[in-house]
Amino acid sequence: MQQGTIKITKAATSKLSTTDFNNLPFGKLFTDHMLLAEYKDGAWGDPEIVPYAPISFDPSLATFHYGQSIFEGIKAFRMKDGSAAIFRPYENLKRFNKSAHRMAMPDVPEFHFIEGMKQLLKLEDKWIPTAEDHAMYIRPFMFATDEVIGVAPSSKYYFMIILSPVGPYFSRPLNIYVEEQYVRAAPGGVGYAKTAGNYAASLYPAKLAKEKGFDQILWMDAFEHKYVQECGAMNVFFVLDGKVITPSLEAGTILDGITRKSIVDMARSLGKVVEEREISIDELVAGYKKGTLTEAFGAGTAVTVSKISGLQYKDTHISLDASSMPVADQIKQAMAALRDGSAPDSFGWMVKTNA
Ligand SMILES: *Cc1c(COP(=O)(O)O)cnc(C)c1O
């Protein structure tokens, strides 16, 4: 690991005592400090931890115009023994640098990403929630900071980490619209990268779906609108004929979710048959009609495991009983037990903030 020092400048006052931990709206509250590092002249400077505050930029900032911007989403949990642990942050580092590569941005060093995150979490330890289904959401991001209007990779970047204590993302089972017109990602594109533009492009179709009464969109393949891909910020799983199935990643159009890969491993360790493969919407509709499609759920860091009770495809409404989804329940419980340390970390996924 590249070594360096992380200079810490502490905030003069803390917002901790005025924060209501019984009512944490997702992603709206941030802790007292943030981490920041600058890339210029071909190298990263040391990361610094400074008071959380607005930053100002020239109106010509490259990110504003051409969107060279990537991010990650990670959670840290309060363990039963009082310590805190981050869920698989090295996987997020790998994916962050994959996104960086696709967007012609520099790699971020492990020291900045992992050690930076640990130091920031140690400083903000009192902010890590203790309640069930609560966590510290960690948001590392990088953006271009050249001050020039011209389409080219920036020569300067900021890497930052901010922290937001959060409760559950969705409070009820989801009603999903199967999208047939708009497309999220095509082979050769940037679907596998966690880059800002993917989300900007999804907002309008998501708004139309909301107006029709749906919570989220299920994206389909770009060519035939026939094969299931994923939802807005979560991968999808189904239980069909007793098997756990999820779309495969080969086409590069699906975000390689860390929750997704963890659930695949965990379901196998619980004795389930798991298939990563092409899944057509016709197969799901047929399974529903035969009664062999028994569960559907989304999986992601922000949402954890979120049950899907409705899927609207053309005139067919697939309606599933969220109160009887034993596989989703079992996976959700096993993940929760791992995250608060009540089950042994047999996969080696938890990284202690003080280790
Ligand atoms: C972040 C994200 C996911 C979930 O990935 P995790 O690593 O499990 O958080 C799934 N799909 C999209 C589009 C995402 O942005």
Side-chain angles (χ1 to χ4, degrees):
M1 202 193 287
Q2 175 192 326
Q3 292 306 323
T5 52
I6 302 181
K7 189 180 151 210
I8 299 179
T9 307
K10 286 202 180 165
T13 56
S14 174
K15 296 169 285 190
L16 188 59
S17 63
T18 54
T19 301
D20 178 8
F21 277 75
N22 294 314
N23 178 27
L24 293 172
F26 198 98
K28 291 189 178 161
L29 290 171
F30 301 95
T31 65
D32 294 324
H33 300 87
M34 60 188 189
L35 179 131
L36 195 148
E38 219 178 329
Y39 179 92
K40 60 182 180 200
D41 304 325
W44 283 103
D46 281 342
E48 267 192 63
I49 291 174
V50 295
Y52 188 95
I55 40 179
S56 72
F57 288 108
D58 192 272
S60 68
L61 190 82
T63 299
F64 293 156
H65 304 273
Y66 305 113
Q68 235 190 334
S69 171
I70 61 169
F71 67 96
E72 271 303 326
I74 309 172
K75 273 178 177 171
F77 298 88
R78 178 67 68 202
M79 310 291 273
K80 282 251 152 82
D81 65 4
S83 65
I86 316 164
F87 188 75
R88 307 191 79 177
Y90 291 93
E91 291 297 319
N92 295 87
L93 170 63
K94 262 193 259 169
R95 189 172 65 191
F96 194 70
N97 283 335
K98 237 188 243 175
S99 299
H101 190 253
R102 180 63 180 82
M103 306 313 287
M105 300 166 97
D107 273 17
V108 168
E110 181 178 323
F111 179 80
H112 289 55
F113 195 95
I114 301 285
E115 191 57 32
M117 182 182 307
K118 281 186 182 175
Q119 294 275 336
L120 186 60
L121 284 163
K122 267 192 270 190
L123 183 65
E124 307 287 48
D125 187 71
K126 289 197 178 72
W127 282 89
I128 302 174
T130 49
E132 199 184 336
D133 283 338
H134 285 56
M136 180 68 90
Y137 188 79
I138 307 164
R139 169 51 58 90
F141 57 110
M142 170 165 51
F143 55 96
T145 56
D146 269 359
E147 290 147 1
V148 55
I149 291 186
V151 181
S154 183
S155 67
K156 294 188 297 169
Y157 297 88
Y158 266 33
F159 170 69
M160 299 187 67
I161 304 177
I162 56 176
L163 303 177
S164 178
V166 296
Y169 195 87
F170 296 121
S171 47
R172 58 189 167 84
L174 302 172
N175 189 24
I176 303 273
Y177 182 72
V178 179
E179 181 62 61
E180 284 182 276
Q181 184 183 357
Y182 298 100
V183 164
R184 194 191 89 92
V190 297
Y192 67 87
K194 232 171 156 76
T195 183
N198 280 338
Y199 304 85
S202 76
L203 298 177
Y204 178 64
K207 176 173 165 259
L208 295 179
K210 280 225 167 78
E211 282 167 8
K212 288 181 215 151
F214 298 95
D215 301 307
Q216 289 266 309
I217 282 172
L218 177 59
W219 298 104
M220 307 296 282
D221 74 283
F223 302 118
E224 298 177 79
H225 301 282
K226 189 172 155 190
Y227 297 100
V228 171
Q229 306 232 295
E230 64 175 313
C231 290
M234 53 187 207
N235 296 109
V236 283
F237 286 83
F238 302 93
V239 179
L240 183 69
D241 285 324
K243 290 177 190 159
V244 178
I245 61 172
T246 191
S248 47
L249 302 171
E250 288 93 64
T253 52
I254 295 177
L255 210 282
D256 182 1
I258 292 150
T259 316
R260 176 190 176 281
K261 75 171 73 167
S262 304
I263 287 177
V264 167
D265 290 348
M266 182 165 273
R268 286 190 176 131
S269 81
L270 294 168
K272 315 281 179 224
V273 176
V274 181
E275 292 175 355
E276 298 176 69
R277 60 171 174 84
E278 270 189 344
I279 301 170
S280 77
I281 188 71
D282 294 338
E283 181 184 5
L284 296 177
V285 169
Y288 172 62
K289 290 185 173 155
K290 274 193 292 180
T292 52
L293 177 71
T294 50
E295 302 188 31
F297 53 95
T301 297
V303 305
T304 61
V305 173
S306 275
K307 293 178 185 175
I308 295 170
S309 59
L311 281 161
Q312 184 74 36
Y313 176 61
K314 296 186 173 159
D315 295 335
T316 304
H317 188 76
I318 296 180
S319 172
L320 299 167
D321 181 5
S323 67
S324 98
M325 292 191 178
V327 175
D329 285 333
Q330 198 184 357
I331 287 170
K332 200 174 172 159
Q333 276 156 23
M335 293 285 265
L338 203 72
R339 286 165 164 176
D340 73 7
S342 47
D345 180 17
S346 47
F347 296 99
W349 288 343
M350 306 305 292
V351 175
K352 296 265 178 153
T353 56
N354 60 3

